[in-house]
Amino acid sequence: MGRPDLHGKNGKPVKAKLPEDHEFAELIAEAYRVFTAPKPAETGVCKGCCMEPAIEADFLVPDIEGLPLHYLHDWYFAAVSDAFDQNIWRYLLPRVLEVLASGEELAYVGLEVSLSRFPTGDAARWKAEEWAVLDRFQRMYLDRVVRQGEDCLDDVLCMFGIAGWQLEDLFEQVLDVPADTLAEMLWRDWCIGRGSIWITAFWDNGGNSEVFAFYTSPELYKRMADLALDGQTPPEIAEKALAVAGVIEQAVAWDAGN
């Protein structure tokens, strides 16, 4: 993996580099190894209109490990051109994954679009070792969100879903989470100042309907209700599980009336 002390042309450290003891450090090092690719001849986005001229001119000059974060911000702001292809995405992916792992934003419009410029989650499009990195990244990232709650669950599911990962597999990963951890996560997303199920507007191709069906599924509701009513559940967790179950009930009632 690239050194966390890399410096840019201005002499300042490159942002969004992982320290060696970061939980994603080993995986990102593997990403830089397996996605090693020649620098593309094109940036893959519109020329002379969307990117800052100085950034556009310099975008492919730094080594990929030292690509400045603000260069990526500018690249995500630009519209994809006809020159964009898998080779460009393969070249950028290690740095993209590193930035996501660092917790920094890539696209100012939202986390959800971070991996959607190419079908990143379609295993058939990648070599076996490349897919192994992508699959492991997806599982680790979702697990971290569930444990730490730095992003809304739906935003993360959408990021992976619209990038090509199978929703059924993503939902299974969520259901594999211990019930108390799941209750804490959903309470953070749905019950703090909201009292409703959060579904991002970035879903497409019916994904919003599928995710709503998952959030209001009898299986998820039962897990929350059972946890709330279990005499062994700590009172604080039971209260949160009950609140989540209540939000699901309200959503089901609303859906039935529309």
Side-chain angles (χ1 to χ4, degrees):
M1 188 181 65
R3 302 187 313 277
D5 62 343
L6 279 173
H7 288 68
K9 294 170 64 175
N10 59 7
K12 296 180 179 180
V14 176
K15 295 180 179 179
K17 298 299 297 179
L18 301 185
E20 292 183 358
D21 60 351
H22 192 280
E23 62 180 321
F24 279 79
E26 179 185 350
L27 178 61
I28 297 304
E30 183 71 359
Y32 278 111
R33 186 185 71 80
V34 304
F35 286 104
T36 298
K39 288 185 180 183
E42 302 274 355
T43 62
V45 295
C46 290
K47 294 181 179 180
C49 64
C50 296
M51 295 181 72
E52 290 289 337
I55 293 177
E56 181 178 353
D58 195 54
F59 189 80
L60 295 171
V61 173
D63 291 340
I64 186 60
E65 297 178 44
L67 186 65
L69 179 58
H70 68 285
Y71 279 27
L72 276 172
H73 288 161
D74 207 51
W75 185 83
Y76 269 90
F77 181 77
V80 170
S81 73
D82 291 340
F84 182 83
D85 60 17
Q86 185 173 9
N87 291 328
I88 294 172
W89 196 231
R90 177 181 278 113
Y91 171 76
L92 291 174
L93 258 179
R95 185 68 176 117
V96 166
L97 298 181
E98 183 176 29
V99 173
L100 286 171
S102 77
E104 294 281 357
E105 286 185 325
L106 280 165
Y108 288 132
V109 295
L111 172 72
E112 297 93 321
V113 304
S114 299
L115 295 171
S116 63
R117 289 197 157 181
F118 185 84
T120 313
D122 183 352
R125 295 176 181 264
W126 303 102
K127 300 173 184 176
E129 61 177 359
E130 293 172 340
W131 177 247
V133 167
L134 292 171
D135 182 60
R136 186 179 167 201
F137 177 86
Q138 180 272 299
R139 294 174 186 277
M140 286 180 64
Y141 195 96
L142 182 57
D143 177 70
R144 182 176 70 176
V145 168
V146 171
R147 287 185 288 106
Q148 300 180 10
E150 294 177 353
D151 300 298
C152 285
L153 173 66
D154 194 68
D155 296 355
V156 174
L157 291 179
C158 182
M159 176 177 72
F160 291 121
I162 66 176
W165 271 270
Q166 295 297 309
L167 294 185
E168 295 81 2
D169 185 46
L170 296 173
F171 297 159
E172 287 180 8
Q173 290 175 50
V174 174
L175 289 175
D176 283 342
V177 173
D180 56 345
T181 304
L182 187 57
E184 289 263 19
M185 174 188 59
L186 294 177
W187 181 82
R188 287 192 302 264
D189 285 1
W190 297 353
C191 301
I192 298 179
R194 189 188 306 276
S196 62
I197 293 174
W198 166 252
I199 297 179
T200 177
F202 284 95
W203 284 105
D204 59 11
N205 298 322
N208 56 338
S209 297
E210 290 186 61
V211 78
F212 180 81
F214 169 67
Y215 293 145
T216 57
S217 64
E219 184 175 6
L220 184 57
Y221 174 78
K222 186 175 186 301
R223 290 196 73 191
M224 295 298 98
D226 287 351
L227 181 64
L229 298 174
D230 187 338
Q232 301 300 312
T233 303
E236 181 182 355
I237 299 298
E239 184 177 347
K240 291 178 177 179
L242 187 62
V244 171
V247 169
I248 295 173
E249 288 178 353
Q250 292 172 7
V252 170
W254 175 87
D255 190 52
N258 287 273

